Amino acid sequence: AGAHEVLIAGHADRVGQADNNQALSQRRSRAVAQALQAHGVPARAITLKAFGEAQPLVSTPDNVPNHSNRRALIVVR
């Protein structure tokens, strides 16, 4: 297997304060990175991003929960 780069982008829905959602999306991307590392993906191959509530998959008003917006996107290059 060749070398790959892995981008993990954490996202949150619009429930709660924006700064809390930003922190939540950071924790979400870190958790995925830790899981990948536990399965042998080297830390140096992983890049983390956190978008908070800025890039919803489903557009919703403030304080409307949406499970689709609570996600981590994994891109392998």
Side-chain angles (χ1 to χ4, degrees):
H4 295 287
E5 295 175 20
V6 180
L7 169 65
I8 303 169
H11 298 269
D13 65 11
R14 297 187 63 166
V15 174
Q17 298 296 317
D19 57 343
N20 290 338
N21 286 333
Q22 181 65 32
L24 174 61
S25 67
Q26 290 171 338
R27 290 192 305 275
R28 187 168 280 139
S29 62
R30 269 192 245 117
V32 172
Q34 290 170 346
L36 290 175
Q37 289 172 34
H39 285 90
V41 177
R44 69 181 177 280
I46 300 173
T47 300
L48 301 180
K49 294 206 179 236
F51 292 99
E53 58 186 53
Q55 295 184 1
L57 188 63
V58 177
S59 183
T60 61
D62 279 343
N63 293 311
V64 174
N66 186 289
H67 295 299
S68 296
N69 291 334
R70 301 174 191 160
R71 69 195 191 283
L73 176 67
I74 304 168
V75 179
V76 179
R77 296 182 241 169

